[in-house]
Amino acid sequence: MFHSLAYMAAWATVFAIPWEVVVVIHGVGTISRIIGLLAFGLGVVGVLARGRMRAPIPFHLLAVAFLVWASVSFYWAIDPEPAMLQIKRNLQLIGLIWLLWEFSETPARRAGLYQAYVLGAYVAVINTFINYKSGVAAAGERFSAAEGANPNDLGFLLVLALPLAWHLAVTGKSFWMTWINRLYLPLGLVGLFLTASRSGLIVGIVALSIVPWTLPRLKFRVKVVAVLIAVIAIAGALAYVPARSWQRLGTTRAQLEEGTLNKRTTIWMAGLRVFPRNPIIGVGLNGYPRATQGVLGEHKGAHNAYMSILVELGLVGLVLFLAILANTFLAARCCSLHWRSA
């Protein structure tokens, strides 16, 4: 019983992640954190009741090693307060990694967690639409699921649901759920355009590459549906997305070729200038803004995961992070080869 309850709580946690900024309880945190703590407690009880745990795979060992190294860097962090805040988040991530692994031992349960995320992304998209229609902007003419929330963060959350939705639409058996997953693609794209996130747009193009990549193996009617989805996405975007969003998204290519990516390249060069001071162990968790402040003249985050890790956690942290990515890529490639041969 506790095992099933823990899975349900894990499902609810994943469901809440895309729209966690919509419900924030002062002094407690986001809705996903609250549900996640409950799920973790149920998970511990479930494991104790069953008397065993699933053996971890290399990905888990690498991920935990990276998060532990990041947390240990608190002892030499140049900015201890934000470092401690990130340590708490790291502990939550370790708990979430364990929870999702422990209670997703079957393909059906893993598909259920994918579905939970897509449905949660629907909530985020709907809230973004509501804020747009109400004129509640998150930043200038950019919109998000909650007032004051970062549109770039929402853009990435919406993009993550795109390949999941397509995978579920292709492999699902339920007529209604198949169409719910199919329709997320145009709705998710319109939501992404409303955020006017240029980085989200770039990642979204990569995420959507799953569609043409899988089409040759699919039936003709599915290919027709893919074309229909594309038409709906284009029509919805043209009818719903404001001109200001298109103007900002339209600068993506120019920023990549000639610009500073909204001053991001300047921020990254500052990181490369301070990196040699602590090349092996870095300046400590969440220390990038403080480390580069003397160069930039202001407090700025890295806006780049690799640069942030390099400066904050040094070469040790970057090697661990790249090892995680390599392990993930090899596992995905193995699954891809298996799928092609099936």
Side-chain angles (χ1 to χ4, degrees):
M1 180 184 71
F2 283 109
H3 192 273
S4 296
L5 287 174
Y7 173 75
M8 293 170 62
W11 191 98
T13 303
V14 175
F15 169 69
I17 288 174
W19 53 278
E20 62 178 4
V21 295
V22 177
V23 180
V24 179
I25 300 176
H26 181 70
V28 179
T30 62
I31 185 67
S32 62
R33 181 187 179 193
I34 297 168
I35 300 175
L37 290 173
L38 173 63
F40 183 80
L42 288 172
V44 171
V45 175
V47 167
L48 292 175
R50 189 169 55 174
R52 60 183 176 85
M53 290 177 58
R54 294 184 71 189
I57 58 177
F59 168 82
H60 302 117
L61 300 178
L62 289 169
V64 171
F66 173 77
L67 292 171
V68 169
W69 171 254
S71 300
V72 169
S73 73
F74 169 78
Y75 291 101
W76 60 83
I78 63 173
D79 208 350
E81 187 174 344
M84 178 56 69
L85 178 63
Q86 188 60 46
I87 287 176
K88 296 177 181 177
R89 293 172 180 162
N90 287 351
L91 292 174
Q92 293 172 29
L93 281 174
I94 292 174
L96 182 62
I97 290 171
W98 168 77
L99 186 70
L100 297 182
W101 172 248
E102 186 66 37
F103 298 98
S104 62
E105 66 273 30
T106 65
R109 285 197 164 185
R110 289 191 289 274
L113 293 177
Y114 301 159
Q115 190 64 75
Y117 191 90
V118 173
L119 293 176
Y122 258 107
V123 177
V125 168
I126 292 171
N127 273 278
T128 303
F129 289 170
I130 292 173
N131 286 335
Y132 167 61
K133 295 300 290 184
S134 303
V136 180
E141 292 294 320
R142 305 174 64 191
F143 300 89
S144 186
E147 185 177 3
N150 190 322
N152 290 325
D153 291 345
L154 175 64
F156 284 116
L157 290 170
L158 297 182
V159 162
L160 182 57
L162 293 173
L164 293 177
W166 181 253
H167 169 74
L168 292 169
V170 169
T171 61
K173 305 300 181 183
S174 167
F175 174 82
W176 292 110
M177 291 309 301
T178 295
W179 272 103
I180 287 174
N181 289 311
R182 287 171 175 170
L183 290 176
Y184 174 77
L185 273 73
L187 291 176
L189 283 173
V190 174
L192 172 63
F193 295 151
L194 286 176
T195 68
S197 172
R198 291 174 293 202
S199 53
L201 176 64
I202 296 170
V203 177
I205 293 172
V206 176
L208 284 173
S209 65
I210 189 176
V211 177
W213 181 72
T214 55
L215 276 181
R217 290 181 55 88
L218 300 178
K219 297 178 180 179
F220 176 75
R221 61 182 179 84
V222 180
K223 297 177 182 179
V224 173
V225 168
V227 174
L228 176 62
I229 289 173
V231 172
I232 294 174
I234 294 171
L238 293 176
Y240 208 75
V241 178
R244 291 290 296 274
S245 295
W246 289 122
Q247 290 170 4
R248 190 175 195 276
L249 291 171
T251 64
T252 303
R253 181 176 179 179
Q255 283 290 326
L256 286 172
E257 294 179 348
E258 304 170 3
T260 62
L261 299 179
N262 204 18
K263 297 185 178 180
R264 281 172 172 76
T265 56
T266 303
I267 297 171
W268 301 339
M269 292 303 297
L272 290 176
R273 288 183 60 181
V274 302
F275 162 70
R277 302 174 189 173
N278 299 277
I280 306 301
I281 62 174
V283 300
L285 197 59
N286 269 5
Y288 194 98
R290 177 68 64 84
T292 57
Q293 188 171 9
V295 178
L296 294 171
E298 56 183 334
H299 214 62
K300 286 286 187 179
H303 294 285
N304 183 307
Y306 302 97
M307 185 61 66
S308 177
I309 291 169
L310 181 64
V311 173
E312 295 178 1
L313 305 180
L315 290 173
V316 175
L318 184 63
V319 168
L320 286 172
F321 186 71
L322 293 177
I324 294 171
L325 295 182
N327 177 266
T328 304
F329 173 79
L330 291 174
R333 184 173 183 272
C334 179
C335 291
S336 171
L337 293 175
H338 175 75
W339 183 78
R340 286 184 175 184
S341 62

